[in-house]
Amino acid sequence: MNNINILRVYDTSLVYIKRLVNLISGLGMLVLVFTFAWLVYGRYVLNDTPTWVEQLSLLLVITIGFLTSAVGIHERTHLSVDIFTQFLPVSGQIFIGLLADIIMGTFGFLMASSAIDLAQFSAAKRIPLLDISAAFRYYPVIISGALIFIFSLDRVVRTLNQLIRPTTINQENT
């Protein structure tokens, strides 16, 4: 395999990871909507409120929020203030972008490693009403941190590669 084929496989892999994360988040959103519908139906029609909905909803919101934030890093749709960098020359904009990607990658790495410690610490505890390990609360954080690290590292490598060789393949955002 030559370098172009490896880059294409790599790009395709990142796109598939992004799509899988979006699919998981979308399914989580569907489950969230249906559990709240069940909550309303149980409370007002059956007069018997399902108590597990709150714990499941918290778990789903954590999952959806953290996983989609990692995709936001990949697609560059995360919140950023770039008005100041627009006044800089192109070299300054590239430097600030590179610095931001390095900081985000470091943050993702630290987030994942800290969440691993939290998951190990809480593995023996149970989430009330769901009767699953409390470590499940930290798994989306671990995955999100790892993806933020991978996607940020990808941006850093691509930026440095374009500085060295300006005619490389750009990643598609589909």
Side-chain angles (χ1 to χ4, degrees), residues 20-166:
L20 177 65
V21 168
N22 279 337
L23 178 68
I24 291 169
S25 297
L27 291 173
M29 186 63 85
L30 281 174
V31 172
L32 186 66
V33 167
F34 282 117
T35 56
F36 273 108
W38 179 252
L39 174 73
V40 171
Y41 179 76
R43 179 175 291 162
Y44 295 109
V45 176
L46 301 176
N47 201 23
D48 182 24
T49 304
T51 54
W52 52 268
V53 171
E54 180 182 352
Q55 292 298 323
L56 181 62
S57 299
L58 288 171
L59 192 58
L60 288 171
V61 166
I62 290 168
T63 302
I64 294 165
F66 276 97
L67 291 182
T68 55
S69 68
V71 172
I73 298 296
H74 176 40
E75 295 180 341
R76 288 217 182 260
T77 57
H78 56 84
L79 180 63
S80 65
V81 180
D82 60 352
I83 190 157
F84 301 114
T85 58
Q86 290 177 356
F87 295 115
L88 295 175
V90 174
S91 60
Q93 291 177 9
I94 292 171
F95 174 76
I96 295 294
L98 191 60
L99 182 64
D101 288 333
I102 291 170
I103 291 170
M104 286 302 296
T106 304
F107 171 77
F109 179 80
L110 292 174
M111 185 171 81
S113 61
S114 297
I116 289 171
D117 293 341
L118 288 170
Q120 290 171 344
F121 176 74
S122 63
K125 299 174 186 162
R126 309 300 284 173
I127 296 177
L129 305 172
L130 293 180
D131 198 33
I132 59 174
S133 173
F136 274 91
R137 289 183 175 141
Y138 302 105
Y139 294 153
V141 182
I142 294 167
I143 294 168
S144 175
L147 289 174
I148 288 171
F149 175 74
I150 290 167
F151 293 149
S152 297
L153 183 64
D154 174 59
R155 294 283 182 193
V156 169
V157 169
R158 286 179 190 281
T159 302
L160 291 175
N161 193 25
Q162 286 182 354
L163 290 174
I164 295 168
R165 292 184 232 143

Side-chain angles (χ1 to χ4, degrees), residues 2-12 158 161 169:
N2 59 20
N3 288 341
I4 302 272
N5 288 338
I6 292 172
L7 282 177
R8 285 193 180 128
V9 169
Y10 172 74
D11 287 342
T12 304
R158 286 179 190 281
N161 193 25
I169 298 174

